[in-house]
Structures are given as structure tokens and as C-alpha cells.
Amino acid sequence: MTENGNTDSKSGAKNGTRKKVNVRKIVSRTVTVLFLGGIAALLVIAAMPKPVPVDVAEVARGPLEVTIDEDGVTRVKDRYVVSLPLTGSLGRLELRAGDAVTEGGVLARVEPMAPQLLDERSRTQAEARVAASQAAQRQARAAVARAEAALSLAQQMEQRQTQLAERGGAPQTTLDQARFEARARQEELTSARFGVRVADYEVRMAQAAAGRMADARGKPDEAQDQLEVPSPISGRVLRVLHQQEGVAQAGTPLLELGDPGALEVVVDVLTADAVQIQPGAQVELVRWGGEQALTGRVQRVEPSAFTKISALGVEEQRVNVVIELASPREEWEALGDGFRVEARIRVWREDDVVRIPSSALFRHEEGWAVYVVEGEQARLRVVQVGRRNGFEAQITEGLEPGARVVVHPSEQVVDGVAVRVR
């Protein structure tokens, strides 16, 4: 019995040991399989393509405006250069830039030179100058008559369009255009009247110079009185062109006069942009130094272009666009002649268009395309583009409001790729 009992106990111990070893092996193998399975899963997940992070914008309806943005300078509309009417000893000019002058006020005094023999040539030249001044005077007065007729017609058209607009028979844009035409014709009349005053002044100066020469011829031994040079207009001195006192020749420029309250803006644009600009187009003037933007309208696009070298050394054909200030004088009274401004000239505007950021567009074959986010994928969509400015573009076909488009798509964004909106 003892031997059998010992044998059974030894056999049971061996079986228990074997069971423990088998459990350990099973646990070890299970852990190994799970570990290897986890690594494999991680490798599979790492090998799977990740969604590309993108920025999106929503397609919307709203107004779109296209402008041409260029730098410009202000200038006095009507200016006049006062010249010396005859050769003589000029006194020192006391006026400085910015000084106010009144029409008829004395600008300078000149003492004629000692009388010399007046030959036939000098007498003919003096008479020709008087005749030319009188012809210019007649032309200036004819220009006033034309400007008055044009103003009368423009005012009639404005009154007619106002009546139609009150009855709903004319759009607001037509009425605005009629008002602009009336105001432009008024400005032209003001300039024409300025031309008449200048022409009258030229006639007086020419006659005074011829009379002095005639007096010298008749009385060669008598001293000549000083000749006062009057101001042809009321305004301010823009520039002093001759400061030295002493002998000066006839025709020497002395002063440049003008009215700083009558300013316009001149902007030079590329000829390719100029063909899109129409007289009467609205203009916004910014970054001129004031707190708020100024408004204006295009008065005219000059017909002759000129060549200008750009900052990159490229020759460009450009043309001047003249802009009339529409804001009240109180808002821009700090502006003077030659001040810099930035002009935004409106060439097109619609109040209800489908629009997207221009950064969402890219070239595709011979047209334009965008990537539209559908679910979690980016889909290529060919679109038709209308007007564009620097920030937004009009979409005429291919997109509907509410869709989401990818802006600044990278090379990783292709048709069908998974994307993640940032």
C-alpha cells in the first residue's frame, strides 16, 4: 500500500507540473499573438492614407465689384503762369508759395530798360502779340458760350430724368448719370470763364507792352515809369518761378497761380485697363491722409497714351484718367496741389451673383476648376468664371450657393482624395 501510494502521489505531482507549464505556454503564445497582431494593426493603420487637411469656403450669393486700383495725384484744375510782359529791371518778389492773391492785385513791378530805337521788326512783333491775344480772347468767349449751352441742355436732361425717376419711369443710375453730366458741364463753364479772365489779362498786358514801346519811340529821352504786373485771377501762389531781382527778359515766368479749392485727381492706368473705364464711373479715394475715403467720378479718359518705365524696368503704355471730386469741400480741404492718393475706379458691379474666393480657382485643361468637398472627399468640378477682382470671382456655371470649395488647394488634393476640414 505504501509503495502504491507513493507512486500515485508522484504521478499527480508530475501531472500538476505539466498543466502549469502548458498554461504558461498558452498565455505566452497568446500574449505573443496579441502583440504581433497589435503591431500588424498599427502597420496597417499607418499604411492607410490619411485625410488631407484643407481650408474651405462656402459658395454664396451677393454683390461683386470690379475696380482698377492705381496711385494718383491731385492737381489744380485751372492754373496760370504769370510772365514778364517786357524786358526790364525786376524788383524782388515778396510773394511766397501759399500766399493769397486777388484779381488785379500787384504781383510784381518792373522798370523798363532805357529806351532803344524801335525798329520795324520789334513794332511788328508787339502788334502781332496784341492780335494773337485778342484772337485768344475771342476763342475764350466762344468757349464760354458753348459751355453755357451745354450746361443748359444738361440741366434740362437732369430735370427730365428727375421727373421720370419720381414716377418710376427711370432707373436711379440714369438719374445719377444726368446729375453728373450737369455738374461736369458746370465745371466746364467755370473753367471757360477762367479762360476768359486769363485772355483778357493777356490782351491788357500785350497792349501795355506795346504802349510802352510806342511811348519810348515818341519820347526817347524821358524816363519810364514802373510797370505793375497785376494778378489775372483770385487764388493762391502755387509756385514761385523767379526769385532773383534784376534785369529779366520779356516772357520770363514769374509765378504760377491757381485756386486750391478747385482740385481734380489724375491717375495713370494701363491702356488695357483704360478701355474698361467710362466717363461717369464711380471712384473711391483712399489713403490720402484723411480719416474717411473720398468719392469722385471719372470726368474723362485722355485720348493719348504715354510710355512709362515700371519699377521692374518694363516699358508700359499708360494713359491719364481725370477724376472729379464729389465729396464736400470740407472733407478734403487739407489736400493741395500734387498730393498723393490711391484711387479705386469701379468698372463693373452686380448686386446678386454667385461668388467664391479667387484662391479656390485653378487652371484645368483650357478652363477653370475647383475642388468641392462632398462628404469627406474632394471632387473636381469644372466651372465657368465671369468677372473677377483681386479677391473674389463670379461663377456663372458649375456651382450652387451652399457648396463648400477648397481654397488654396495643395498638390495633395486630387479628385476623390479624403479630406479633413481644418
Side-chain angles (χ1 to χ4, degrees):
M1 293 297 294
T2 304
E3 291 180 358
N4 291 336
N6 292 335
T7 302
D8 292 339
S9 61
K10 291 179 180 180
S11 176
K14 290 180 179 180
N15 290 335
T17 302
R18 289 174 182 173
K19 288 180 180 180
K20 290 180 180 179
V21 172
N22 290 337
V23 170
R24 289 176 181 174
K25 288 182 179 180
I26 292 172
V27 172
S28 176
R29 289 173 181 174
T30 302
V31 171
T32 302
V33 170
L34 293 175
F35 178 73
L36 295 176
I39 293 177
L42 292 176
L43 292 175
V44 170
I45 293 174
M48 292 177 62
K50 295 181 180 179
V52 178
V54 295
D55 296 319
V56 299
E58 184 175 343
V59 181
R61 277 191 174 274
L64 181 63
E65 182 176 279
V66 179
T67 62
I68 295 174
D69 301 346
E70 291 285 356
D71 292 341
V73 294
T74 60
R75 74 178 181 189
V76 173
K77 290 182 181 180
D78 300 312
R79 59 180 67 211
Y80 183 77
V81 176
V82 178
S83 302
L84 201 61
L86 49 78
T87 301
S89 180
L90 178 67
R92 185 173 182 82
L93 299 181
E94 298 179 357
L95 294 172
R96 296 292 179 266
D99 290 347
V101 295
T102 57
E103 185 174 356
V106 177
L107 300 179
R109 291 178 173 85
V110 57
E111 183 177 344
M113 297 291 292
Q116 299 178 357
L117 180 62
L118 184 66
D119 57 14
E120 187 64 26
R121 178 180 177 181
S122 299
R123 182 168 55 253
T124 302
Q125 288 177 343
E127 293 173 352
R129 181 183 175 188
V130 172
S133 301
Q134 291 173 341
Q137 184 184 50
R138 290 192 294 270
Q139 290 180 349
R141 289 175 178 173
V144 169
R146 290 193 300 269
E148 289 175 344
L151 175 60
S152 177
L153 178 60
Q155 289 175 339
Q156 292 176 10
M157 293 298 296
E158 180 187 10
Q159 185 178 5
R160 192 174 304 165
Q161 293 298 330
T162 301
Q163 294 174 353
L164 289 174
E166 291 175 352
R167 295 195 296 266
Q172 184 64 34
T173 54
T174 304
L175 177 58
D176 292 341
Q177 184 66 28
R179 289 174 176 172
F180 168 73
E181 289 294 333
R183 181 171 179 176
R185 300 293 83 78
Q186 180 63 57
E187 294 293 335
E188 289 180 0
L189 177 59
T190 302
S191 294
R193 288 173 176 168
F194 176 88
V196 168
R197 293 198 302 270
V198 171
D200 293 342
Y201 172 83
E202 288 288 351
V203 170
R204 292 195 302 270
M205 289 293 98
Q207 291 175 342
R212 288 280 178 168
M213 295 176 71
D215 291 342
R217 179 188 177 193
K219 302 177 181 179
D221 296 332
E222 293 185 3
Q224 301 295 306
D225 296 332
Q226 284 188 341
L227 174 65
E228 293 182 345
V229 181
S231 173
I233 63 170
S234 295
R236 289 187 178 275
V237 177
L238 301 180
R239 289 191 301 165
V240 178
L241 305 176
H242 186 87
Q243 294 182 338
Q244 295 83 5
E245 58 181 332
V247 177
Q249 296 295 320
T252 301
L254 301 180
L255 299 167
E256 185 176 19
L257 309 179
D259 181 11
L263 284 182
E264 61 187 7
V265 178
V266 181
V267 180
D268 63 279
V269 302
L270 292 171
T271 53
D273 294 331
V275 297
Q276 307 177 52
I277 302 175
Q278 298 297 325
Q282 294 185 2
V283 181
E284 185 180 26
L285 303 174
V286 298
R287 297 182 182 177
W288 58 276
E291 296 181 356
Q292 57 185 359
L294 303 176
T295 59
R297 284 185 177 271
V298 174
Q299 187 176 20
R300 67 181 179 276
V301 180
E302 294 184 353
S304 180
F306 56 91
T307 302
K308 184 178 180 180
I309 307 299
S310 69
L312 299 177
V314 180
E315 288 189 357
E316 299 176 339
Q317 290 300 113
R318 305 183 77 88
V319 64
N320 285 332
V321 178
V322 181
I323 299 168
E324 177 190 358
L325 289 168
S327 297
R329 174 75 175 89
E330 296 76 16
E331 296 183 8
W332 51 269
E333 60 183 356
L335 282 176
D337 184 53
F339 283 39
R340 176 187 174 276
V341 299
E342 290 187 15
R344 297 174 181 170
I345 305 172
R346 181 192 295 178
V347 297
W348 182 86
R349 178 184 172 87
E350 286 289 340
D351 293 327
D352 187 21
V353 300
V354 177
R355 62 186 187 181
I356 63 171
S358 298
S359 57
L361 292 167
F362 60 89
R363 279 290 183 181
H364 178 70
E365 296 179 353
E366 296 183 356
W368 295 94
V370 297
Y371 284 114
V372 179
V373 177
E374 296 179 355
E376 297 181 353
Q377 291 182 321
R379 292 297 181 184
L380 180 69
R381 186 80 58 84
V382 178
V383 296
Q384 297 293 326
V385 180
R387 296 275 188 163
R388 291 188 299 166
N389 57 28
F391 305 98
E392 295 179 312
Q394 176 193 17
I395 302 299
T396 57
E397 293 182 13
L399 288 176
E400 294 296 331
R404 297 186 300 168
V405 295
V406 179
V407 295
H408 301 291
S410 64
E411 296 180 353
Q412 295 177 309
V413 181
V414 294
D415 188 26
V417 72
V419 295
R420 174 175 58 84
V421 178
R422 282 189 283 215

